[in-house]
Amino acid sequence: MAHERSFDRLVNFSDAVVAIAITLLGLPLIDLASELGQNGIDTVGDLLLDNATRLFGFGLSFAVIAVFWMAHHRVYDYLTGYTRGLIWTNMLWLASIVFLPFPTEIIASGHDDAGAAALYIGTMIVTAAALLAQVLLVRARPELIAGGREALSYIPALAVTIALLLALAVTILVPGTHLWTLLLIAPAQVVTRRIQVARERRTAAPAER
């Protein structure tokens, strides 16, 4: 365990790394402006249409990193300290976030095949699994959680990890699915939300009595 200032440094460092990763996603887009007026690209509309795949990759990965950051933020909102194991699993989480621009660039460059999609989804699996590991580590040390172990559920991170593993399997086994398999995350989120609502109701019932 560490004192409050050290914990704040860990959280601030994590936020800064995520911000850098999102910035890296946008850097390749800056170079696109130089294409305007060349190779038959005469208008901004032509530029956007010609680079639709790259823009899609940016938008998708921006959303992915944002969602993972929000999940990470929700977990750390409950924490009052950390352990060495939590630091290293958080570093793994950050490494996967920083790595995501690499498969994004592969897909944005037009390599829309099963291998590129598998690398992209595989990176997301590492991110989700690393967050799940962090939740399980702190649940093993309830004194690190404001409100105790029951205040921080492992179900959301577990559901996303399982959904991504299924998405990867379908991507590899079913030709042509590619990144469409990421839609499997949606039902996982719905189920997770219903489970959380049910848990909250069970917790609130004794208090009302």
Side-chain angles (χ1 to χ4, degrees):
M1 296 181 64
H3 54 74
E4 183 176 350
R5 183 180 177 186
S6 296
F7 180 71
D8 288 342
R9 289 183 64 191
L10 174 63
V11 174
N12 292 337
F13 174 77
S14 300
D15 289 346
V17 172
V18 173
I20 291 171
I22 283 184
T23 302
L24 290 175
L25 288 175
L27 291 180
L29 299 181
I30 297 175
D31 296 332
L32 298 182
S34 62
E35 298 180 9
L36 192 61
Q38 300 179 10
N39 302 320
I41 302 176
D42 300 320
T43 66
V44 173
D46 292 336
L47 181 66
L48 296 177
L49 287 174
D50 194 61
N51 293 279
T53 301
R54 188 174 296 277
L55 292 170
F56 168 77
F58 166 77
L60 175 63
S61 292
F62 189 98
V64 166
I65 292 178
V67 169
F68 276 126
W69 176 81
M70 287 187 286
H72 183 272
H73 180 68
R74 284 194 294 269
V75 169
Y76 275 71
D77 262 355
Y78 286 101
L79 304 189
T80 58
Y82 62 89
T83 63
R84 186 177 299 274
L86 184 64
I87 291 177
W88 285 111
T89 50
N90 186 58
M91 288 298 178
L92 176 61
W93 185 84
L94 290 174
S96 66
I97 290 290
V98 174
F99 184 78
L100 190 64
F102 174 63
T104 300
E105 182 62 20
I106 293 176
I107 292 172
S109 299
H111 300 283
D112 186 20
D113 55 24
L119 179 61
Y120 190 96
I121 297 172
T123 303
M124 292 179 63
I125 289 172
V126 175
T127 308
L131 186 62
L132 174 61
Q134 291 176 71
V135 173
L136 294 177
L137 280 172
V138 295
R139 279 176 58 88
R141 298 284 298 274
E143 69 273 14
L144 297 178
I145 308 173
R149 178 186 298 174
E150 294 306 314
L152 181 59
S153 174
Y154 64 90
I155 294 175
L158 177 62
V160 171
T161 302
I162 292 174
L164 287 171
L165 286 169
L166 290 174
L168 179 61
V170 174
T171 297
I172 294 173
L173 297 175
V174 182
T177 52
H178 302 317
L179 292 178
W180 289 107
T181 57
L182 289 176
L183 293 175
L184 289 170
I185 297 176
Q189 295 281 26
V190 172
V191 172
T192 298
R193 181 57 186 163
R194 289 183 177 178
I195 292 174
Q196 286 182 307
V197 169
R199 284 167 57 92
E200 290 171 0
R201 287 176 178 172
R202 286 198 301 268
T203 302
E208 293 175 355
R209 294 173 186 174

